[in-house]
Every structure is written in C-alpha cells, then in structure tokens.
Amino acid sequence: MAFAAQPENPRFKVAVARAMPHAQRAESLALLREVAAQNDAEAYYEIYESHKSWDRGDLDKAPLVPRAEADHALRKAAELGHPYSTQMLAVLLDRGGTVKRDAAAARYWAERALANPAKDESRGNLLVLLGRLLAKSDNPDEAARGVDLLETLSKAGQSGAKTHLALAIRKDDPMRARSLLEESRRPDPGGAIPPLAEMLIAGEGGPADPKRALSLLQAPSDTVKVKGVLGQLYLEGKLVPRDVQEAVRLVDLAGQWDLDARLQVLQLLAANPDVRVKYPRNLLYGAVEAAELDEPGAITALIALKLSPNAQFQDKPGACKLIETAVNRGDQSMKPRLAECRAN
C-alpha cells in the first residue's frame, strides 16, 4: 500500500522487492537494479545477497545475478556506507569467494566496518577482525598494531582474540603461542585446535606429543579447520595410514572457508585421478570462480584437473579455453599448450 501511494520512493521499492517470492525473482531484481542505479546502498546489497543465496554452486544454471555484478554491487554498497556490506567486503577480501582476495583492501574495509558497525554486530567481534587482519600485514607498524589490539582484546576476554593472538606471535614466541592455544582450546575449539595440533606434532613451543594431537583432531567435531589439518595427516601417512581419498574428503570440507584448501583439492584430484568427491559441481563452481578472479594458482590447477584422466572433471575443450584465457592474461608458459590445443 505504501509503495502504491509512493511508487518512486526507493525505500518502498526495495522493501517490495525483498518481499517478493522466489518465483518473482526476476521482477524483484528489476526493481532493485532500478533503485541501485540511483546509488541506493540497500538495493546494491540486496543484489549481492540475491547472488549469494540463489546463483552460487551450479555452473549449468544461468545466474540472474552474475558474479561480476554481485562483486560490483557489494563494493558499491560498501562505498555508499552500507554497514553490513562493509563488513562482508572485508571478510571476503581476506577469505576469497565472490571477490578476489586483497589483504590491504581487507584491512581498509575492516577499519571502515569498525567505524560504521552493522546493527547487532558487536564492536568486540569487529575489533578481532581488524586485529587479526592487521597482525598478518607485511607492514611492521600495522602488524604491531594488530598484535597490540589482540593483546588488549585477549585480556578483556573477547571471544577469539586469544586464538588469533597466538597465531600472530607463533613464529616469534612459540612457547607463549602454544600456551594461549591450550587456554583457547575449549572456548574456541574450531580456531585453536588446528594450530595447537600442528605445534604438538612438530614439538613447536614445547615437547612433541603427536598422540595427543591426533586425539584432539579425531574427537567428534563439526569444525572444518580441524578436518583440514586431519586431512593433511592422511595425506602424509605418518601418524595415520596414508589415504588420499580420505585426505581429499577432509580437505574439501575445509575448503568451505579456505580458498587455498580448495586449490589443494584440485591438485590432489589431478594427481590422483581415481579419487572422487561427493559434490563435484560445487567444487567445480568454486574452482571456476577462483580462476575467473585470477586468484594465484587457480587457473593452472583447474587446467591440470581438466586435462587429467579424472572421470568427474576431465574436459579437454574446457581446459583449452582456460589455456587461451591464461595466455591472454600474459602467462607465457601456457603458449606451448595453446599451440597443442589449436593443432588438435
């Protein structure tokens, strides 16, 4: 009724678009794009959200919101001051996904998110986000600021701060880092156990205790980082019998939030063509997305997988298209392969 009374009101247009059922998604997006063209932050955010909710995971389905449009929409929403978009952009720039990873940009947008927090988001969580991003910086001053921030948050009892402080000081003070991870093990098992297990296995920061490390990793858990570290053990075959199939399964689970883990899975599948994954379409979507974004190593790993005899992913014509893309981006090492493609 409000929209009917004021059909040009952008706030009402966005509200109506958001309320439309999925069957009317095309009409909803038409409204959102119309409002976004007027530099409306909320409309831009809803376009990104529509892509995230409905267009990801299936390369065979034509997206109503292509990835590039979602990328642009999220950035525009953040630039226009949409609080949650600002925070989400910082997270994705660090983690990867719809946008390409960029550590410096992630730090910048984390600062902006802290200055303009999303509704119901705690300041403490945003400070931890900023602290952990700063602590990973190549700039010594930024890194020191991040460690100081995590120190303060850790003493204040902020969730996750102690784990990220341990990770930040692990190289320079492994003994204290290990102690912090032990303290964080129960309140933050998903964050603390993976690096703690690595340190126990390596004897880093204290006596080696691989048996305890394995026990921690094999305990019932739904945290994907734990599964990722356990997957590496199955790949190495030292503490547990080598099992590449199980390693791929576990590392693939870790790849939900870790682009490097997803790329490792591609490499393992290419090198072990008899290994299978449960959801090949999802894996392929993430791989194509990373290659499109030109994430380091992504296109090379995907080409190798498509050229491999792995029955789930073998696709020589698709590999040749990617090889041409790589050459166009300036990868001279792919030129001989491109010549082979054209010769065939």
Side-chain angles (χ1 to χ4, degrees), residues 88-154:
M88 181 53 59
L89 182 57
V91 170
L92 290 181
L93 285 164
D94 174 57
R95 188 177 71 199
T98 305
V99 303
K100 184 176 182 178
R101 290 180 296 182
D102 184 331
R107 295 192 293 272
Y108 170 80
W109 287 108
E111 296 269 18
R112 295 279 295 270
L114 183 61
N116 182 28
K119 184 180 179 181
D120 299 327
E121 182 58 68
S122 78
R123 179 175 174 80
N125 287 340
L126 292 174
L127 284 168
V128 171
L129 171 64
L130 177 61
R132 72 173 179 82
L133 294 178
L134 287 170
K136 295 189 294 182
S137 174
D138 293 332
N139 182 310
D141 292 336
E142 286 187 335
R145 182 185 165 214
V147 170
D148 289 344
L149 184 54
L150 291 172
E151 284 274 15
T152 301
L153 293 167
S154 176

Side-chain angles (χ1 to χ4, degrees), residues 27 48 56 71 115 135 141 156 163 171 232 263 271 274 300 307 318-319:
E27 293 93 326
Y48 159 76
R56 292 175 58 80
D71 180 334
D141 292 336
T163 296
K171 181 179 178 181
Q232 301 301 331
L263 296 183
D274 293 332
T300 302
L307 289 175

Side-chain angles (χ1 to χ4, degrees), residues 115-331:
N116 182 28
K119 184 180 179 181
D120 299 327
E121 182 58 68
S122 78
R123 179 175 174 80
N125 287 340
L126 292 174
L127 284 168
V128 171
L129 171 64
L130 177 61
R132 72 173 179 82
L133 294 178
L134 287 170
K136 295 189 294 182
S137 174
D138 293 332
N139 182 310
D141 292 336
E142 286 187 335
R145 182 185 165 214
V147 170
D148 289 344
L149 184 54
L150 291 172
E151 284 274 15
T152 301
L153 293 167
S154 176
K155 290 173 182 175
Q158 176 60 43
S159 175
K162 194 171 287 187
T163 296
H164 290 295
L165 175 60
L167 296 176
I169 66 171
R170 178 175 170 179
K171 181 179 178 181
D172 296 324
D173 192 350
M175 186 176 295
R176 185 181 177 217
R178 181 159 154 177
S179 175
L180 288 169
L181 291 173
E182 290 282 11
E183 294 171 17
S184 301
R185 184 169 58 84
R186 292 191 184 280
D188 183 20
I193 287 177
L196 175 59
E198 291 173 345
M199 297 183 84
L200 287 167
I201 292 168
E204 184 182 347
D209 192 346
K211 185 177 180 180
R212 178 168 176 250
L214 187 59
S215 175
L216 289 173
L217 294 171
Q218 290 180 328
S221 169
D222 60 356
T223 57
V224 294
K225 289 184 179 179
V226 171
K227 296 181 188 303
V229 175
L230 184 58
Q232 301 301 331
L233 298 186
Y234 276 104
L235 191 60
E236 292 168 0
K238 295 179 181 178
L239 295 181
V240 292
R242 179 174 164 81
D243 186 339
V244 180
Q245 177 67 65
E246 181 65 0
V248 167
R249 185 185 74 82
L250 292 168
V251 176
D252 188 31
L253 290 171
Q256 292 178 39
W257 308 111
D258 185 345
L259 178 56
D260 292 327
R262 293 201 294 275
L263 296 183
Q264 183 186 16
V265 170
L266 301 185
Q267 295 164 350
L268 289 171
L269 290 170
N272 301 273
D274 293 332
V275 172
R276 297 290 179 267
V277 292
K278 190 172 183 179
Y279 300 107
R281 284 173 179 255
N282 288 349
L283 179 69
L284 193 58
Y285 181 91
V288 170
E289 182 180 66
E292 180 183 321
L293 288 165
D294 201 17
E295 290 283 3
I299 196 166
T300 302
L302 185 54
I303 288 169
L305 179 57
K306 284 178 175 286
L307 289 175
S308 78
N310 190 299
Q312 285 184 308
F313 300 100
Q314 189 177 35
D315 176 15
K316 187 172 182 181
C320 286
K321 288 181 181 178
L322 288 170
I323 289 169
E324 186 169 358
T325 298
V327 170
N328 290 337
R329 288 175 178 174
D331 187 343

